[in-house]
Amino acid sequence: ADIIALPAATMLDTILRNKKDFAAGVYENHLKIGGIVMPSDGGPQERTALFSKSYLKKDFKKSAEYGNPLSKQEQINQVVKLCYANNLQYVGYGNGDSGIAMHLNAIRLARMELADTSTNRRSVITHSQFVRSDQLDIYREYGIIPCFFTDHAYMFGDVHIKNLGKERAFFLSPMKTASGKGLMYNNHNDYPSAPPSALFTVWTAVNRISRTNVVIGPGERVSSYAALKAITVNAAYMYFEENTKGSIKAGKLADFVILDQNPVKIDPMKIKDIKVMETIKEGKSIYKK
């Protein structure tokens, strides 16, 4: 397997001091260092994601009314600026709209201070669970990639309705809206908070069904083809690997799986039950059922 490690921002100084030992973006024995991760807030299911509008539940003995920041704005500003100045990919971790705003503010400041006009840095805000529509416009302007988390539609969709109300809960990981704005979005599962199954992630993006069978945002469901692209073509783009991975094409690595059913043609509710029959890595069969 190819492993892309995303070091925490606490390692940034070490990486910058030892660039030869920590060469970002270069594989060595199938391992490479990718972007630098910086968190802004916690999880919405725990009411620690940071929002501009209060949680609905009024018992705030164990959590703040608007959530909890995990970092100070000045810290995020510093990390983003160092990443941009040293050509390192920035990966912000943000869930609530105010947590996401902290990353956007830091990126805006770094671009201004460094006179940076690039839209190909491919900075990422992972999770981007409760990003607002107007914030997605900023993503597009700066070339930021939302790495969505549709698994939580099933895992915690019912909890989000209780904590946030339907309007906010239904805009969870808004893949359809992002697509309409022309964003290169992708999707992930964030094990262990969701099962380590790519096909389950496709299933959640297509169906957005909660544990109690509520559709968490009917208007944000995407086609199975779009959901597959999010974890293949678009994911490769996020890691600057679109020329070698993400699709089956002459000149790219022969990395693919053989499935027992076609996810584009079967009943969308059955996608999560598809089985992997064989895995091919660089043209070699490494797993066969």
Side-chain angles (χ1 to χ4, degrees), residues 36-272:
I36 304 298
V37 176
M38 183 69 182
S40 61
D41 63 352
Q45 70 276 11
E46 299 168 335
R47 293 189 294 158
T48 54
L50 195 61
F51 284 93
S52 59
K53 182 180 176 181
S54 173
Y55 287 92
L56 298 184
K57 192 174 180 180
K58 299 303 181 184
D59 175 15
F60 297 112
K61 294 179 180 178
K62 295 183 179 180
S63 64
E65 186 175 356
Y66 294 90
N68 305 96
L70 293 179
S71 305
K72 294 180 179 179
Q73 183 68 63
E74 294 76 16
Q75 294 173 313
I76 299 176
N77 293 349
Q78 182 181 24
V79 171
V80 172
K81 188 173 181 179
L82 283 171
C83 284
Y84 275 43
N86 291 277
N87 201 30
L88 292 171
Q89 188 179 27
Y90 178 72
V91 181
Y93 173 107
N95 284 296
D97 67 322
S98 289
I100 291 166
M102 295 178 78
H103 299 293
L104 296 179
N105 291 338
I107 290 171
R108 182 185 296 109
L109 182 63
R111 287 170 59 88
M112 181 182 68
E113 292 183 349
L114 298 172
D116 185 286
T117 59
S118 173
T119 56
N120 195 42
R121 286 190 174 275
R122 304 188 194 182
S123 296
V124 179
I125 300 183
T126 191
H127 290 357
S128 286
Q129 286 199 80
F130 291 101
V131 61
R132 301 191 311 266
S133 179
D134 64 297
Q135 290 177 321
L136 288 176
D137 293 333
I138 301 173
Y139 281 44
R140 181 181 58 196
E141 180 183 354
Y142 295 163
I144 298 170
I145 299 170
C147 185
F148 287 130
F149 193 11
T150 59
D151 282 8
H152 268 206
Y154 176 79
M155 302 301 295
F156 296 108
D158 298 318
V159 176
H160 294 333
I161 291 174
K162 181 179 179 181
N163 285 339
L164 302 169
K166 283 188 176 182
E167 182 178 355
R168 278 190 289 177
F170 281 13
F171 206 63
L172 165 78
S173 293
M175 290 175 66
K176 190 76 170 181
T177 296
S179 177
K181 292 178 181 290
L183 288 169
M184 179 66 81
Y185 62 86
N186 57 54
N187 205 2
H188 69 288
N189 57 43
D190 198 45
Y191 180 80
S193 69
S197 167
L199 288 164
F200 179 77
T201 298
V202 171
W203 179 83
T204 61
V206 173
N207 297 289
R208 297 177 67 97
I209 300 289
S210 76
R211 292 176 186 264
T212 61
N213 293 317
V214 176
V215 179
I216 306 299
E220 294 303 327
R221 290 180 293 188
V222 296
S223 69
S224 54
Y225 184 72
L228 284 168
K229 283 187 67 177
I231 64 167
T232 54
V233 177
N234 298 4
Y237 178 87
M238 183 183 105
Y239 289 119
F240 294 89
E241 296 186 9
E242 68 271 21
N243 293 326
T244 57
K245 296 179 181 177
S247 61
I248 302 173
K249 184 179 179 181
K252 291 189 176 184
L253 295 175
D255 292 0
F256 58 90
V257 294
I258 299 173
L259 307 175
D260 70 342
Q261 297 182 82
N262 187 337
V264 176
K265 293 184 177 181
I266 67 168
D267 178 350
M269 285 299 292
K270 296 181 179 179
I271 292 174
K272 64 181 176 59

